[in-house]
Amino acid sequence: MALADDLDLARAEAEAGFAAAADAAAVETVRIAFLGRQGRLKALQDTFRSAPPEDKRVLGPKLNASKAAIEAALQAAQTRVSAVEIDAPIDLTEPKPRQRPGSLHPLSVLAHEIEDVFRSMGFAVIDGPHIELDDYNFTRLNIPENHPARDAQDTFWLDHPQHGANSRLLRTHTSSVQSRIYQLAGSGQLPKDQPFRYVVVGKVFRYEAIDATHDNTFTQVEGFVVDREITVAHLVGAIRTMLGAALKRDDVEVRLRPAFYPFVEPGFDVDVRAPGADPSVRYHRWMELMGCGLIHPDVLAAGGIDPTQWSGFAFGMGLERLAMIRHGIADIRVMNGADLRSLRQFAAG
Ligand code: FA5
């Protein structure tokens, strides 16, 4: 029976081949030659299939035994070469891969510092939902449907705006949290007849053309105080204290100029500028940092707060822009980009 001899020969050659293989690649070459889909064993199995039945009775067990022996030789060879690889000499002088400690994002560092400044002035730190109702984001802030001020904050809608005050959207500013707090205060869900001070640090979203100072997702810091006889002097004092603590440089100029926001009266913008004449660096010219003003009486009234008894101030600041001028970052996209090489330069804590 020629097949019996061929099986013996294949087994002997395979065992010799595996025994001689010096590394994993050589073992693999022998495996493919004998056990692969087009290998020697496959060809012998095909021959077996066409053998007469009386031969098959003898050849069957021989075929199985040969296959088992070749597989055992493969296994032994694999174990041997992997042990060789582990036994390879260890270079004790090779430097260890460097471990980098994690660090806080520059925006988180700033946010924590600003929260601490406001806590020290008696503010509570809160946030509200990112998915907001039109009512809180616009209508209660004196921005009714079809008001042109809506155009200044292009919005990601989750419902069609035709649902009116109940349409859901991604909040365009943290002023939506003002609406919610005034409603809670006006409906007696906050301590009655008490002044309050809140600061919000949170993400906001706008359908925005992106450039060096505009992103579609950014962070606002909103501060608001409701008390008796609040004036612009209180507002300016709070902003001065915040910027004094957060800017960490004393060459930044700050200016207040009149501006229109439907939910404050009077309203202002605060601009900042740092020395330098590089036209690609936006804050070498005046750059808007925040809007602010005295809370419009209609906004307090919309929440059920009596504007003849209570007054307040509010501001909303772009945290990325503050980080830009603090750290000297020319482009806002660095902040929400994932390039760790940039972010590590400003890491702290
Ligand atoms: C507002 O969002 C008002 N809610 C601010 C406010 C609050 C006014 C309370 C009065 C009282 P404005 O759209 O200007 O206003 O945005 C405020 C700040 O957010 C800007 O000064 C700027 O620093 C930042 N900002 C606005 N749009 C972007 C943007 N696309 N990318 C990055 N920062 C932005």
Side-chain angles (χ1 to χ4, degrees):
M1 273 182 275
L3 183 57
D5 293 340
D6 287 347
L7 281 169
D8 284 340
L9 188 63
R11 173 180 172 168
E13 283 182 12
E15 284 173 344
F18 283 129
D23 56 25
V27 171
E28 182 62 5
T29 308
V30 180
R31 186 193 70 77
I32 291 167
F34 287 91
L35 295 168
R37 257 184 291 151
Q38 290 162 16
R40 286 268 289 281
L41 207 63
K42 175 73 176 45
L44 294 171
Q45 279 167 336
D46 291 344
T47 313
F48 170 79
R49 233 167 270 130
S50 53
E54 61 276 16
D55 290 354
K56 275 191 176 162
R57 226 167 296 133
V58 183
L59 288 170
K62 192 167 182 68
L63 180 68
N64 289 339
S66 303
K67 186 168 182 228
I70 296 173
E71 284 173 348
L74 165 67
Q75 186 108 66
Q78 281 174 335
T79 310
R80 180 173 49 77
V81 294
S82 64
V84 169
E85 272 152 28
I86 292 167
D87 284 348
I90 297 170
D91 179 0
L92 293 174
T93 63
E94 191 176 327
K96 189 167 141 249
R98 214 153 72 101
Q99 295 240 336
R100 244 179 218 283
S103 56
L104 289 173
H105 192 285
L107 286 178
S108 304
V109 174
L110 246 184
H112 294 164
E113 287 180 15
I114 289 177
E115 286 170 8
D116 283 348
V117 170
F118 279 104
R119 279 199 196 92
S120 76
M121 292 193 281
F123 285 67
V125 179
I126 54 166
D127 198 358
H130 293 178
I131 296 178
E132 189 50 284
L133 296 178
D134 170 305
D135 192 32
Y136 294 114
N137 196 82
F138 289 129
T139 311
R140 284 171 177 268
L141 292 171
N142 246 352
I143 317 177
E145 226 177 314
N146 301 322
H147 191 288
R150 289 196 178 205
D151 296 343
Q153 299 188 3
D154 273 348
T155 311
F156 296 108
W157 293 95
L158 296 157
D159 297 318
H160 195 286
Q162 77 187 14
H163 292 99
N166 285 325
S167 302
R168 290 171 312 156
L169 48 84
L170 295 184
R171 71 178 181 192
T172 58
H173 54 180
T174 40
S175 301
S176 55
V177 185
Q178 285 190 51
S179 314
R180 286 181 170 270
I181 290 293
Y182 301 154
Q183 186 187 36
L184 288 179
S187 60
Q189 294 177 71
L190 291 182
K192 230 179 152 29
D193 290 332
Q194 296 283 320
F196 52 80
R197 300 170 197 186
Y198 288 105
V199 68
V200 180
V201 183
K203 285 274 178 263
V204 299
F205 311 88
R206 292 189 194 176
Y207 181 63
E208 187 91 86
I210 292 174
D211 62 23
T213 52
H214 294 86
D215 211 337
N216 53 26
T217 302
F218 58 100
T219 317
Q220 281 192 340
V221 177
E222 184 99 7
F224 53 99
V225 166
V226 170
D227 207 329
R228 304 205 186 255
E229 291 169 24
I230 289 293
T231 70
V232 173
H234 296 110
L235 167 68
V236 170
I239 291 174
R240 256 188 215 288
T241 307
M242 168 175 71
L243 293 184
L247 275 172
K248 295 274 193 294
R249 51 190 284 189
D250 51 20
D251 56 349
V252 176
E253 292 175 86
V254 181
R255 78 175 180 193
L256 193 73
R257 67 183 157 88
F260 173 71
Y261 296 92
F263 35 97
V264 288
E265 179 56 39
F268 308 94
D269 273 334
V270 174
D271 300 335
V272 283
R273 180 170 70 172
D278 182 347
S280 69
V281 177
R282 185 60 188 77
Y283 56 78
H284 286 170
R285 291 170 283 138
W286 287 111
M287 176 177 76
E288 188 194 310
L289 182 65
M290 71 179 95
C292 58
L294 297 187
I295 302 165
H296 197 292
D298 290 352
V299 170
L300 292 175
I305 298 172
D306 179 358
T308 64
Q309 298 294 315
W310 299 95
S311 53
F313 72 72
F315 66 85
M317 175 180 71
L319 191 63
E320 283 79 2
R321 293 204 188 164
L322 185 68
M324 285 170 77
I325 197 156
R326 165 161 161 173
H327 293 294
I329 301 171
D331 196 311
I332 196 169
R333 284 163 284 201
V334 166
M335 228 81 64
N336 286 331
D339 191 337
L340 295 178
R341 288 169 308 179
S342 310
L343 295 175
R344 279 188 188 123
Q345 295 174 52
F346 317 111

